[in-house]
Amino acid sequence: MSSIPASDDRAFSLEGYRQLLRGLKAIGYRCATFSDIDCAGRDMVLRHDVDLCLGSAVRIAEIEAEESIQSTYYVLLNTEFYNPASMQGRGALRRLLELGHRIGLHFDAAAFPDRAAELEVAAERECALLENLSGSSVDYISFHRPASQLLGRQGRLAGRLHAYQPAFFKDILYVTDSEGRWRFGHPLDHPDVQQGAALQLLTHPIWWTAPGAGPIEKLEWFRESLAKRTRSNMAMNLKPFAERFGVNGENASPV
């Protein structure tokens, strides 16, 4: 088995993500899904929770395709940050599929804390909506900001495997870049990864695509880019706004 290649790039950046993928491949990891993972082998499930930006997801997906990696992108339907039903959103979903990746549902279960039956119905409804938007089956679910009772939840949800079932969350190694940091150091330094333990690796595309030295700087960049996009869309759709602030709304206040 090959050893992990030496690389000084451990940053949360596009190149840092590419080097992470190459390091995992070098020690023999194989891409898997929750349906076919071999928990006793060098299998990894690459999961991306798309919390803020579909465009960032596409950039990560393109790097993975270049590295012959397949993963699953979990998309929110209940969010104020992006719209998967818009022309741009549907284009991003198509691009993810064209690159050979899968689309899952990133489900916000906060509205159903103690109502299991309603949780099932809502998850099924959102999966059906996402399948309609993407033109692809949605076979997997991840929870958005999951309540403690959902972590390690037994059984399927809406007939689908979910990322926090014990087999995928407790029985194998689970590593995440939540909050823009590795809680237990870089994955390639983890002794279980170096030994090839089965792995669920969760990343959030915004940490790898946004410029900035840390999470706050990256989030500020995203906030500013969102404001610019809003100004441009307003100018495109509202003639008085364009006449006052320019065809791209560039003269409007960024706040």
PDB file of all heavy atoms in Angstrom, residues 178-206:
ATOM      1  N   SER A 178     -16.845  20.632  10.531  1.00  0.00           N
ATOM      2  CA  SER A 178     -17.839  21.554  11.064  1.00  0.00           C
ATOM      3  C   SER A 178     -17.171  22.764  11.713  1.00  0.00           C
ATOM      4  O   SER A 178     -16.131  22.634  12.381  1.00  0.00           O
ATOM      5  CB  SER A 178     -18.724  20.850  12.102  1.00  0.00           C
ATOM      6  OG  SER A 178     -19.520  19.860  11.489  1.00  0.00           O
ATOM      7  N   GLU A 179     -17.770  23.932  11.489  1.00  0.00           N
ATOM      8  CA  GLU A 179     -17.277  25.212  12.002  1.00  0.00           C
ATOM      9  C   GLU A 179     -15.948  25.614  11.375  1.00  0.00           C
ATOM     10  O   GLU A 179     -15.241  26.482  11.888  1.00  0.00           O
ATOM     11  CB  GLU A 179     -17.169  25.187  13.536  1.00  0.00           C
ATOM     12  CG  GLU A 179     -18.502  24.900  14.224  1.00  0.00           C
ATOM     13  CD  GLU A 179     -18.381  24.839  15.732  1.00  0.00           C
ATOM     14  OE1 GLU A 179     -17.251  24.991  16.253  1.00  0.00           O
ATOM     15  OE2 GLU A 179     -19.410  24.637  16.389  1.00  0.00           O
ATOM     16  N   GLY A 180     -15.611  24.981  10.267  1.00  0.00           N
ATOM     17  CA  GLY A 180     -14.394  25.364   9.555  1.00  0.00           C
ATOM     18  C   GLY A 180     -13.112  24.918  10.217  1.00  0.00           C
ATOM     19  O   GLY A 180     -12.060  25.553  10.052  1.00  0.00           O
ATOM     20  N   ARG A 181     -13.170  23.795  10.918  1.00  0.00           N
ATOM     21  CA  ARG A 181     -11.962  23.273  11.573  1.00  0.00           C
ATOM     22  C   ARG A 181     -12.090  21.770  11.729  1.00  0.00           C
ATOM     23  O   ARG A 181     -13.180  21.222  11.756  1.00  0.00           O
ATOM     24  CB  ARG A 181     -11.756  23.930  12.944  1.00  0.00           C
ATOM     25  CG  ARG A 181     -12.891  23.642  13.929  1.00  0.00           C
ATOM     26  CD  ARG A 181     -12.766  24.445  15.205  1.00  0.00           C
ATOM     27  NE  ARG A 181     -13.877  24.196  16.108  1.00  0.00           N
ATOM     28  CZ  ARG A 181     -13.880  23.280  17.062  1.00  0.00           C
ATOM     29  NH1 ARG A 181     -12.813  22.495  17.228  1.00  0.00           N
ATOM     30  NH2 ARG A 181     -14.919  23.120  17.853  1.00  0.00           N
ATOM     31  N   TRP A 182     -10.931  21.118  11.820  1.00  0.00           N
ATOM     32  CA  TRP A 182     -10.900  19.688  12.141  1.00  0.00           C
ATOM     33  C   TRP A 182     -10.804  19.559  13.651  1.00  0.00           C
ATOM     34  O   TRP A 182      -9.859  20.061  14.256  1.00  0.00           O
ATOM     35  CB  TRP A 182      -9.696  19.011  11.493  1.00  0.00           C
ATOM     36  CG  TRP A 182      -9.627  19.076  10.008  1.00  0.00           C
ATOM     37  CD1 TRP A 182      -8.673  19.717   9.267  1.00  0.00           C
ATOM     38  CD2 TRP A 182     -10.517  18.459   9.059  1.00  0.00           C
ATOM     39  NE1 TRP A 182      -8.916  19.546   7.928  1.00  0.00           N
ATOM     40  CE2 TRP A 182     -10.045  18.776   7.767  1.00  0.00           C
ATOM     41  CE3 TRP A 182     -11.664  17.680   9.178  1.00  0.00           C
ATOM     42  CZ2 TRP A 182     -10.676  18.338   6.605  1.00  0.00           C
ATOM     43  CZ3 TRP A 182     -12.296  17.244   8.024  1.00  0.00           C
ATOM     44  CH2 TRP A 182     -11.805  17.572   6.763  1.00  0.00           C
ATOM     45  N   ARG A 183     -11.764  18.894  14.265  1.00  0.00           N
ATOM     46  CA  ARG A 183     -11.791  18.831  15.722  1.00  0.00           C
ATOM     47  C   ARG A 183     -10.655  17.989  16.295  1.00  0.00           C
ATOM     48  O   ARG A 183     -10.219  18.210  17.424  1.00  0.00           O
ATOM     49  CB  ARG A 183     -13.133  18.288  16.186  1.00  0.00           C
ATOM     50  CG  ARG A 183     -14.295  19.219  15.867  1.00  0.00           C
ATOM     51  CD  ARG A 183     -15.602  18.697  16.403  1.00  0.00           C
ATOM     52  NE  ARG A 183     -16.718  19.562  16.025  1.00  0.00           N
ATOM     53  CZ  ARG A 183     -17.979  19.325  16.341  1.00  0.00           C
ATOM     54  NH1 ARG A 183     -18.288  18.246  17.038  1.00  0.00           N
ATOM     55  NH2 ARG A 183     -18.935  20.151  15.958  1.00  0.00           N
ATOM     56  N   PHE A 184     -10.189  17.002  15.537  1.00  0.00           N
ATOM     57  CA  PHE A 184      -9.162  16.105  16.040  1.00  0.00           C
ATOM     58  C   PHE A 184      -7.951  16.081  15.113  1.00  0.00           C
ATOM     59  O   PHE A 184      -7.309  15.051  14.932  1.00  0.00           O
ATOM     60  CB  PHE A 184      -9.738  14.694  16.216  1.00  0.00           C
ATOM     61  CG  PHE A 184     -10.953  14.651  17.106  1.00  0.00           C
ATOM     62  CD1 PHE A 184     -12.216  14.510  16.569  1.00  0.00           C
ATOM     63  CD2 PHE A 184     -10.818  14.796  18.470  1.00  0.00           C
ATOM     64  CE1 PHE A 184     -13.335  14.478  17.379  1.00  0.00           C
ATOM     65  CE2 PHE A 184     -11.939  14.771  19.300  1.00  0.00           C
ATOM     66  CZ  PHE A 184     -13.199  14.620  18.760  1.00  0.00           C
ATOM     67  N   GLY A 185      -7.661  17.243  14.524  1.00  0.00           N
ATOM     68  CA  GLY A 185      -6.522  17.327  13.625  1.00  0.00           C
ATOM     69  C   GLY A 185      -6.883  16.927  12.205  1.00  0.00           C
ATOM     70  O   GLY A 185      -7.981  16.438  11.922  1.00  0.00           O
ATOM     71  N   HIS A 186      -5.958  17.146  11.301  1.00  0.00           N
ATOM     72  CA  HIS A 186      -6.188  16.842   9.894  1.00  0.00           C
ATOM     73  C   HIS A 186      -6.455  15.345   9.714  1.00  0.00           C
ATOM     74  O   HIS A 186      -5.799  14.505  10.346  1.00  0.00           O
ATOM     75  CB  HIS A 186      -4.963  17.258   9.077  1.00  0.00           C
ATOM     76  CG  HIS A 186      -5.204  17.281   7.613  1.00  0.00           C
ATOM     77  ND1 HIS A 186      -5.126  16.141   6.841  1.00  0.00           N
ATOM     78  CD2 HIS A 186      -5.527  18.298   6.772  1.00  0.00           C
ATOM     79  CE1 HIS A 186      -5.388  16.459   5.583  1.00  0.00           C
ATOM     80  NE2 HIS A 186      -5.633  17.752   5.511  1.00  0.00           N
ATOM     81  N   PRO A 187      -7.416  14.978   8.859  1.00  0.00           N
ATOM     82  CA  PRO A 187      -7.758  13.550   8.701  1.00  0.00           C
ATOM     83  C   PRO A 187      -6.572  12.666   8.373  1.00  0.00           C
ATOM     84  O   PRO A 187      -6.488  11.520   8.858  1.00  0.00           O
ATOM     85  CB  PRO A 187      -8.776  13.565   7.553  1.00  0.00           C
ATOM     86  CG  PRO A 187      -9.399  14.910   7.627  1.00  0.00           C
ATOM     87  CD  PRO A 187      -8.314  15.840   8.072  1.00  0.00           C
ATOM     88  N   LEU A 188      -5.647  13.140   7.558  1.00  0.00           N
ATOM     89  CA  LEU A 188      -4.520  12.294   7.169  1.00  0.00           C
ATOM     90  C   LEU A 188      -3.565  12.024   8.327  1.00  0.00           C
ATOM     91  O   LEU A 188      -2.727  11.122   8.241  1.00  0.00           O
ATOM     92  CB  LEU A 188      -3.762  12.928   6.002  1.00  0.00           C
ATOM     93  CG  LEU A 188      -4.542  13.025   4.688  1.00  0.00           C
ATOM     94  CD1 LEU A 188      -3.693  13.695   3.618  1.00  0.00           C
ATOM     95  CD2 LEU A 188      -5.013  11.663   4.223  1.00  0.00           C
ATOM     96  N   ASP A 189      -3.706  12.789   9.414  1.00  0.00           N
ATOM     97  CA  ASP A 189      -2.887  12.543  10.602  1.00  0.00           C
ATOM     98  C   ASP A 189      -3.576  11.616  11.596  1.00  0.00           C
ATOM     99  O   ASP A 189      -2.959  11.202  12.578  1.00  0.00           O
ATOM    100  CB  ASP A 189      -2.576  13.872  11.306  1.00  0.00           C
ATOM    101  CG  ASP A 189      -1.696  14.786  10.460  1.00  0.00           C
ATOM    102  OD1 ASP A 189      -0.923  14.266   9.637  1.00  0.00           O
ATOM    103  OD2 ASP A 189      -1.807  16.021  10.618  1.00  0.00           O
ATOM    104  N   HIS A 190      -4.838  11.303  11.350  1.00  0.00           N
ATOM    105  CA  HIS A 190      -5.591  10.464  12.283  1.00  0.00           C
ATOM    106  C   HIS A 190      -5.068   9.031  12.194  1.00  0.00           C
ATOM    107  O   HIS A 190      -4.983   8.461  11.106  1.00  0.00           O
ATOM    108  CB  HIS A 190      -7.077  10.510  11.932  1.00  0.00           C
ATOM    109  CG  HIS A 190      -7.971  10.021  13.022  1.00  0.00           C
ATOM    110  ND1 HIS A 190      -7.981   8.707  13.449  1.00  0.00           N
ATOM    111  CD2 HIS A 190      -8.894  10.671  13.789  1.00  0.00           C
ATOM    112  CE1 HIS A 190      -8.871   8.569  14.412  1.00  0.00           C
ATOM    113  NE2 HIS A 190      -9.435   9.745  14.640  1.00  0.00           N
ATOM    114  N   PRO A 191      -4.732   8.413  13.322  1.00  0.00           N
ATOM    115  CA  PRO A 191      -4.169   7.052  13.265  1.00  0.00           C
ATOM    116  C   PRO A 191      -5.104   6.030  12.623  1.00  0.00           C
ATOM    117  O   PRO A 191      -4.643   5.112  11.935  1.00  0.00           O
ATOM    118  CB  PRO A 191      -3.895   6.715  14.734  1.00  0.00           C
ATOM    119  CG  PRO A 191      -4.661   7.706  15.530  1.00  0.00           C
ATOM    120  CD  PRO A 191      -4.756   8.934  14.704  1.00  0.00           C
ATOM    121  N   ASP A 192      -6.413   6.177  12.807  1.00  0.00           N
ATOM    122  CA  ASP A 192      -7.340   5.226  12.190  1.00  0.00           C
ATOM    123  C   ASP A 192      -7.379   5.395  10.671  1.00  0.00           C
ATOM    124  O   ASP A 192      -7.527   4.411   9.937  1.00  0.00           O
ATOM    125  CB  ASP A 192      -8.745   5.404  12.764  1.00  0.00           C
ATOM    126  CG  ASP A 192      -8.855   4.928  14.207  1.00  0.00           C
ATOM    127  OD1 ASP A 192      -7.934   4.210  14.659  1.00  0.00           O
ATOM    128  OD2 ASP A 192      -9.839   5.282  14.873  1.00  0.00           O
ATOM    129  N   VAL A 193      -7.253   6.622  10.207  1.00  0.00           N
ATOM    130  CA  VAL A 193      -7.182   6.854   8.762  1.00  0.00           C
ATOM    131  C   VAL A 193      -5.897   6.253   8.212  1.00  0.00           C
ATOM    132  O   VAL A 193      -5.892   5.608   7.152  1.00  0.00           O
ATOM    133  CB  VAL A 193      -7.267   8.359   8.450  1.00  0.00           C
ATOM    134  CG1 VAL A 193      -6.958   8.625   6.977  1.00  0.00           C
ATOM    135  CG2 VAL A 193      -8.649   8.900   8.802  1.00  0.00           C
ATOM    136  N   GLN A 194      -4.810   6.433   8.899  1.00  0.00           N
ATOM    137  CA  GLN A 194      -3.541   5.876   8.437  1.00  0.00           C
ATOM    138  C   GLN A 194      -3.573   4.354   8.384  1.00  0.00           C
ATOM    139  O   GLN A 194      -2.874   3.741   7.571  1.00  0.00           O
ATOM    140  CB  GLN A 194      -2.410   6.360   9.349  1.00  0.00           C
ATOM    141  CG  GLN A 194      -2.165   7.862   9.245  1.00  0.00           C
ATOM    142  CD  GLN A 194      -1.105   8.357  10.218  1.00  0.00           C
ATOM    143  OE1 GLN A 194      -0.650   7.630  11.095  1.00  0.00           O
ATOM    144  NE2 GLN A 194      -0.721   9.616  10.071  1.00  0.00           N
ATOM    145  N   GLN A 195      -4.444   3.759   9.206  1.00  0.00           N
ATOM    146  CA  GLN A 195      -4.599   2.304   9.182  1.00  0.00           C
ATOM    147  C   GLN A 195      -5.671   1.854   8.194  1.00  0.00           C
ATOM    148  O   GLN A 195      -5.880   0.658   7.999  1.00  0.00           O
ATOM    149  CB  GLN A 195      -4.952   1.800  10.587  1.00  0.00           C
ATOM    150  CG  GLN A 195      -3.834   1.947  11.600  1.00  0.00           C
ATOM    151  CD  GLN A 195      -2.594   1.164  11.216  1.00  0.00           C
ATOM    152  OE1 GLN A 195      -2.683  -0.002  10.811  1.00  0.00           O
ATOM    153  NE2 GLN A 195      -1.433   1.781  11.320  1.00  0.00           N
ATOM    154  N   GLY A 196      -6.372   2.806   7.567  1.00  0.00           N
ATOM    155  CA  GLY A 196      -7.356   2.462   6.550  1.00  0.00           C
ATOM    156  C   GLY A 196      -8.715   2.082   7.091  1.00  0.00           C
ATOM    157  O   GLY A 196      -9.450   1.317   6.450  1.00  0.00           O
ATOM    158  N   ALA A 197      -9.103   2.612   8.256  1.00  0.00           N
ATOM    159  CA  ALA A 197     -10.420   2.307   8.818  1.00  0.00           C
ATOM    160  C   ALA A 197     -11.523   2.891   7.939  1.00  0.00           C
ATOM    161  O   ALA A 197     -11.370   3.957   7.340  1.00  0.00           O
ATOM    162  CB  ALA A 197     -10.529   2.877  10.229  1.00  0.00           C
ATOM    163  N   ALA A 198     -12.664   2.196   7.856  1.00  0.00           N
ATOM    164  CA  ALA A 198     -13.806   2.709   7.119  1.00  0.00           C
ATOM    165  C   ALA A 198     -14.187   4.082   7.659  1.00  0.00           C
ATOM    166  O   ALA A 198     -14.142   4.322   8.870  1.00  0.00           O
ATOM    167  CB  ALA A 198     -14.976   1.745   7.212  1.00  0.00           C
ATOM    168  N   LEU A 199     -14.597   4.959   6.757  1.00  0.00           N
ATOM    169  CA  LEU A 199     -14.664   6.380   7.100  1.00  0.00           C
ATOM    170  C   LEU A 199     -15.876   7.049   6.480  1.00  0.00           C
ATOM    171  O   LEU A 199     -16.186   6.833   5.298  1.00  0.00           O
ATOM    172  CB  LEU A 199     -13.386   7.064   6.576  1.00  0.00           C
ATOM    173  CG  LEU A 199     -13.308   8.587   6.536  1.00  0.00           C
ATOM    174  CD1 LEU A 199     -13.288   9.166   7.954  1.00  0.00           C
ATOM    175  CD2 LEU A 199     -12.060   9.016   5.758  1.00  0.00           C
ATOM    176  N   GLN A 200     -16.584   7.848   7.286  1.00  0.00           N
ATOM    177  CA  GLN A 200     -17.514   8.843   6.755  1.00  0.00           C
ATOM    178  C   GLN A 200     -16.848  10.200   6.936  1.00  0.00           C
ATOM    179  O   GLN A 200     -16.580  10.621   8.062  1.00  0.00           O
ATOM    180  CB  GLN A 200     -18.868   8.852   7.469  1.00  0.00           C
ATOM    181  CG  GLN A 200     -19.782   9.929   6.882  1.00  0.00           C
ATOM    182  CD  GLN A 200     -21.127  10.121   7.591  1.00  0.00           C
ATOM    183  OE1 GLN A 200     -21.845  11.077   7.302  1.00  0.00           O
ATOM    184  NE2 GLN A 200     -21.492   9.224   8.516  1.00  0.00           N
ATOM    185  N   LEU A 201     -16.589  10.874   5.817  1.00  0.00           N
ATOM    186  CA  LEU A 201     -15.930  12.183   5.847  1.00  0.00           C
ATOM    187  C   LEU A 201     -16.940  13.240   5.414  1.00  0.00           C
ATOM    188  O   LEU A 201     -17.396  13.249   4.276  1.00  0.00           O
ATOM    189  CB  LEU A 201     -14.720  12.188   4.921  1.00  0.00           C
ATOM    190  CG  LEU A 201     -13.971  13.531   4.793  1.00  0.00           C
ATOM    191  CD1 LEU A 201     -13.427  13.962   6.151  1.00  0.00           C
ATOM    192  CD2 LEU A 201     -12.844  13.416   3.781  1.00  0.00           C
ATOM    193  N   LEU A 202     -17.294  14.114   6.342  1.00  0.00           N
ATOM    194  CA  LEU A 202     -18.238  15.199   6.069  1.00  0.00           C
ATOM    195  C   LEU A 202     -17.484  16.501   5.880  1.00  0.00           C
ATOM    196  O   LEU A 202     -16.715  16.912   6.757  1.00  0.00           O
ATOM    197  CB  LEU A 202     -19.228  15.334   7.233  1.00  0.00           C
ATOM    198  CG  LEU A 202     -20.040  16.629   7.285  1.00  0.00           C
ATOM    199  CD1 LEU A 202     -20.900  16.794   6.043  1.00  0.00           C
ATOM    200  CD2 LEU A 202     -20.887  16.684   8.549  1.00  0.00           C
ATOM    201  N   THR A 203     -17.708  17.144   4.753  1.00  0.00           N
ATOM    202  CA  THR A 203     -17.169  18.485   4.551  1.00  0.00           C
ATOM    203  C   THR A 203     -18.289  19.421   4.110  1.00  0.00           C
ATOM    204  O   THR A 203     -19.337  18.990   3.645  1.00  0.00           O
ATOM    205  CB  THR A 203     -16.040  18.527   3.496  1.00  0.00           C
ATOM    206  OG1 THR A 203     -16.595  18.312   2.197  1.00  0.00           O
ATOM    207  CG2 THR A 203     -14.975  17.488   3.785  1.00  0.00           C
ATOM    208  N   HIS A 204     -18.022  20.718   4.284  1.00  0.00           N
ATOM    209  CA  HIS A 204     -18.947  21.776   3.891  1.00  0.00           C
ATOM    210  C   HIS A 204     -18.222  22.630   2.856  1.00  0.00           C
ATOM    211  O   HIS A 204     -17.188  23.243   3.167  1.00  0.00           O
ATOM    212  CB  HIS A 204     -19.341  22.609   5.114  1.00  0.00           C
ATOM    213  CG  HIS A 204     -20.017  21.808   6.194  1.00  0.00           C
ATOM    214  ND1 HIS A 204     -19.309  20.996   7.053  1.00  0.00           N
ATOM    215  CD2 HIS A 204     -21.331  21.673   6.520  1.00  0.00           C
ATOM    216  CE1 HIS A 204     -20.165  20.413   7.884  1.00  0.00           C
ATOM    217  NE2 HIS A 204     -21.394  20.801   7.581  1.00  0.00           N
ATOM    218  N   PRO A 205     -18.713  22.669   1.622  1.00  0.00           N
ATOM    219  CA  PRO A 205     -17.973  23.303   0.526  1.00  0.00           C
ATOM    220  C   PRO A 205     -17.518  24.733   0.789  1.00  0.00           C
ATOM    221  O   PRO A 205     -16.461  25.149   0.303  1.00  0.00           O
ATOM    222  CB  PRO A 205     -18.955  23.235  -0.646  1.00  0.00           C
ATOM    223  CG  PRO A 205     -19.754  22.000  -0.369  1.00  0.00           C
ATOM    224  CD  PRO A 205     -19.926  21.981   1.114  1.00  0.00           C
ATOM    225  N   ILE A 206     -18.269  25.503   1.576  1.00  0.00           N
ATOM    226  CA  ILE A 206     -17.923  26.909   1.767  1.00  0.00           C
ATOM    227  C   ILE A 206     -16.546  27.073   2.406  1.00  0.00           C
ATOM    228  O   ILE A 206     -15.813  28.015   2.088  1.00  0.00           O
ATOM    229  CB  ILE A 206     -19.001  27.629   2.609  1.00  0.00           C
ATOM    230  CG1 ILE A 206     -18.847  29.153   2.520  1.00  0.00           C
ATOM    231  CG2 ILE A 206     -18.995  27.134   4.036  1.00  0.00           C
ATOM    232  CD1 ILE A 206     -19.126  29.725   1.161  1.00  0.00           C
TER     233      ILE A 206
END
